[in-house]
Amino acid sequence: MLKKELCSICKFYAVSPIHAGSGASTSAVDLPIQRERHTNWPHIQASGVKGAFRAHFRDFVDKNNDSQLINLVFGSDEQDDWDKKIDNLPGAMSVSDARLLAFPMRSNIAPFVWVTCPSILKRLKTDMEYISLGEEMTIHKQDIQKDNAIWIGKGELEKQVVLEDAVVNVTKEIVDDFFKNTFSVLERLILISDEIFDYAASYCTEIQTNIKIKSETGTAEDGTLRYQEFLPADSVLYSIVHYSGRDIGEIRNDDKQSELKKLVEEMQAEKIKTLVEDTVKDFIQIGGDETLGKGICKLEWIKGGAK
């Protein structure tokens, strides 16, 4: 197993709705999104995140680099010209599921506000500790019950806030400098109870109706009506990314792989981390319906420590 030497957190801000499909329908929604089994919160599975990273890297990496670079970073794959006669290699980076941090909800105080809950913040604290960050973070210690809430945004706030069909009572305001600086985009964030957040994440996602039109008649084709679920635009997620240097011992000692061995010798963890984060940046597409403009996310990296 590869040693994970360096870590970062990648933040995803959904510019457009995201459909990371689960592949199975269990309700009236024909195409539901992926959800965690134990919480039912939306997430994006690690395979989808890493696949999106790889596709973005393939399109935007400096073309002057060796063509095998993508295989050494993300793992060997024949579609990236890996010679199937050579033993497969694991990737030098690994990616976690993209976890939900803040969920947007329609509100009476603004077009929308973000909501989060104590359980999510406690998990964020654990993830931050895992990459040697966030020692000064204290926001996770708040205990919220029933319809009470805490304002973590900028400025003063009304005592009662409407969130879709729910009403919460803001009992106080708090400031956490680490959280505010690290997730500065969340200017209107409300900390609500786990119960109300569960309602939001379960029943306030976006459902779109899709049909197919007959070109001859301009009417809907029979049997094509379907309901598709999306994680709303303006959702905020994060994923933990690990990097490790390549080991020359992974490459067999024969003439066919001499050039590959030279490239591996230069692939230290810091170089891989820099290469990935300098290439996979700004905006990325994740999930399905790319041609419909779905799944566009703005990326931002939080530099972590060593493990």
Side-chain angles (χ1 to χ4, degrees):
M1 183 176 68
L2 291 173
K3 179 182 178 182
K4 306 307 175 188
E5 300 173 19
L6 297 174
C7 303
S8 293
I9 281 185
C10 183
K11 295 186 292 184
F12 302 90
Y13 184 99
V15 177
S16 62
I18 303 172
H19 178 77
S22 66
S25 175
T26 57
S27 63
V29 178
D30 300 296
L31 299 171
I33 58 176
Q34 298 166 1
R35 292 179 177 272
E36 296 176 353
R37 181 67 181 87
H38 61 304
T39 63
N40 202 43
W41 297 337
H43 73 158
I44 305 174
Q45 294 172 2
S47 58
V49 177
K50 188 176 181 182
F53 281 179
R54 184 175 192 129
H56 190 94
F57 189 91
R58 182 186 300 121
D59 292 338
F60 293 99
V61 71
D62 187 346
K63 301 305 179 183
N64 293 322
N65 288 319
D66 192 286
S67 61
Q68 292 302 322
L69 193 61
I70 188 171
N71 290 308
L72 295 178
V73 173
F74 291 93
S76 54
D77 193 322
E78 290 181 28
Q79 70 175 343
D80 287 313
D81 301 322
W82 183 258
D83 188 348
K84 61 182 179 181
K85 297 179 181 179
I86 301 176
D87 292 343
N88 289 331
L89 291 178
M93 64 171 291
S94 61
V95 183
S96 76
D97 295 339
R99 295 175 164 179
L100 184 62
L101 174 62
F103 187 82
M105 294 189 73
R106 188 171 68 248
S107 174
N108 65 319
I109 63 170
F112 72 92
V113 297
W114 288 278
V115 296
T116 190
C117 68
S119 292
I120 280 186
L121 295 180
K122 289 175 183 176
R123 183 164 67 176
L124 174 65
K125 175 67 173 180
T126 301
D127 289 336
M128 287 289 185
E129 290 176 343
Y130 180 63
I131 66 168
S132 305
L133 284 180
E135 291 183 4
E136 62 273 39
M137 178 178 165
T138 59
I139 194 174
H140 64 288
K141 297 179 180 180
Q142 302 298 322
D143 183 25
I144 309 295
Q145 299 295 330
K146 298 182 179 180
D147 60 352
N148 292 326
I150 294 177
W151 175 245
I152 315 175
K154 295 180 178 179
E156 297 182 357
L157 185 67
E158 298 178 17
K159 295 302 180 182
Q160 283 197 332
V161 179
V162 178
L163 303 173
E164 296 279 350
D165 299 325
V167 178
V168 296
N169 299 302
V170 178
T171 57
K172 62 179 178 178
E173 303 173 11
I174 62 171
V175 176
D176 185 302
D177 290 335
F178 173 82
F179 189 88
K180 181 179 69 174
N181 295 331
T182 306
F183 300 98
S184 57
V185 70
L186 299 175
E187 297 179 345
R188 301 184 303 276
L189 180 63
I190 299 178
L191 178 58
I192 59 178
S193 66
D194 291 343
E195 293 80 7
I196 296 182
F197 186 85
D198 180 66
Y199 154 76
S202 298
Y203 301 107
C204 299
T205 54
E206 184 173 338
I207 306 296
Q208 294 188 9
T209 304
N210 296 280
I211 59 172
K212 182 178 180 181
I213 301 296
K214 292 182 180 179
S215 59
E216 298 87 357
T217 63
T219 59
E221 186 174 315
D222 293 340
T224 61
L225 176 65
R226 68 182 187 275
Y227 297 95
Q228 186 171 0
E229 185 180 22
F230 290 86
L231 189 61
D234 298 298
S235 297
V236 178
L237 306 95
Y238 70 93
S239 180
I240 301 174
V241 181
H242 309 86
Y243 305 95
S244 59
R246 301 248 56 135
D247 186 348
I248 194 65
E250 299 175 85
I251 307 299
R252 292 201 313 267
N253 187 22
D254 58 38
D255 293 336
K256 293 182 179 179
Q257 300 189 48
S258 58
E259 293 299 320
L260 192 59
K261 289 176 69 174
K262 292 178 182 178
L263 184 60
V264 167
E265 289 175 345
E266 303 174 356
M267 298 294 287
Q268 302 305 312
E270 185 60 46
K271 180 177 180 178
I272 294 171
K273 179 177 181 291
T274 301
L275 183 64
V276 170
E277 296 181 12
D278 285 350
T279 304
V280 183
K281 61 180 181 178
D282 298 331
F283 295 89
I284 193 172
Q285 195 281 329
I286 299 179
D289 293 324
E290 179 179 1
T291 59
L292 299 178
K294 307 300 185 186
I296 307 300
C297 293
K298 184 177 181 180
L299 295 188
E300 187 176 342
W301 292 94
I302 304 173
K303 309 299 183 182
K307 286 299 297 177

